[in-house]
C-alpha cells in the first residue's frame, strides 16, 4: 500500500488555532502533510513545525498579481 500524503493551505491566526487541534489528529492517517502558508503567518508556521511529519511551504504566491487571496 502506498503511503498517504496530504496538503493544506492555511493563512491566518484563526486557521492556526484550528490546525493546532486538527493537524496532530489527522497525521495518524498521513505519512506526511504539507502546510502552505504565507511568510507573515508566524502562528501557522509555529503550529506546523511542532507536528512530526509536517512539512512547510512558505510562499507569497497566493497574493501574486494583486490578488487578495488566491488558493
Amino acid at each position: 500500500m502506498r503511503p498517504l500524503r496530504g496538503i493544506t493551505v492555511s493563512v491566518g491566526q484563526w486557521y492556526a488555532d484550528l490546525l493546532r487541534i486538527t493537524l496532530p489528529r489527522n497525521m495518524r492517517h498521513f505519512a506526511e502533510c504539507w502546510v502552505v502558508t504565507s511568510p507573515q503567518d508566524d502562528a501557522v508556521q509555529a503550529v506546523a513545525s511542532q507536528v512530526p511529519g509536517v512539512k512547510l511551504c512558505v510562499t507569497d504566491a497566493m497574493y501574486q498579481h494583486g490578488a487578495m487571496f488566491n488558493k
Side-chain angles (χ1 to χ4, degrees):
M1 179 182 275
R2 295 175 71 183
L4 245 126
R5 293 179 171 88
I7 186 168
T8 188
V9 177
S10 180
V11 178
Q13 175 62 42
W14 189 76
Y15 294 106
D17 293 341
L18 287 175
L19 274 183
R20 189 171 288 109
I21 297 166
T22 59
L23 199 53
R25 291 178 183 176
N26 286 329
M27 283 310 295
R28 23 183 167 165
H29 305 290
F30 298 120
E32 73 178 19
C33 183
W34 283 85
V35 175
V36 181
T37 192
S38 70
Q40 299 82 12
D41 201 336
D42 297 329
V44 168
Q45 292 177 45
V47 169
S49 67
Q50 294 175 4
V51 180
V54 173
K55 300 184 187 268
L56 271 168
C57 177
V58 180
T59 181
D60 64 351
M62 65 280 286
Y63 302 115
Q64 287 180 348
H65 310 295
M68 289 183 68
F69 185 81
N70 187 0
K71 236 184 205 184

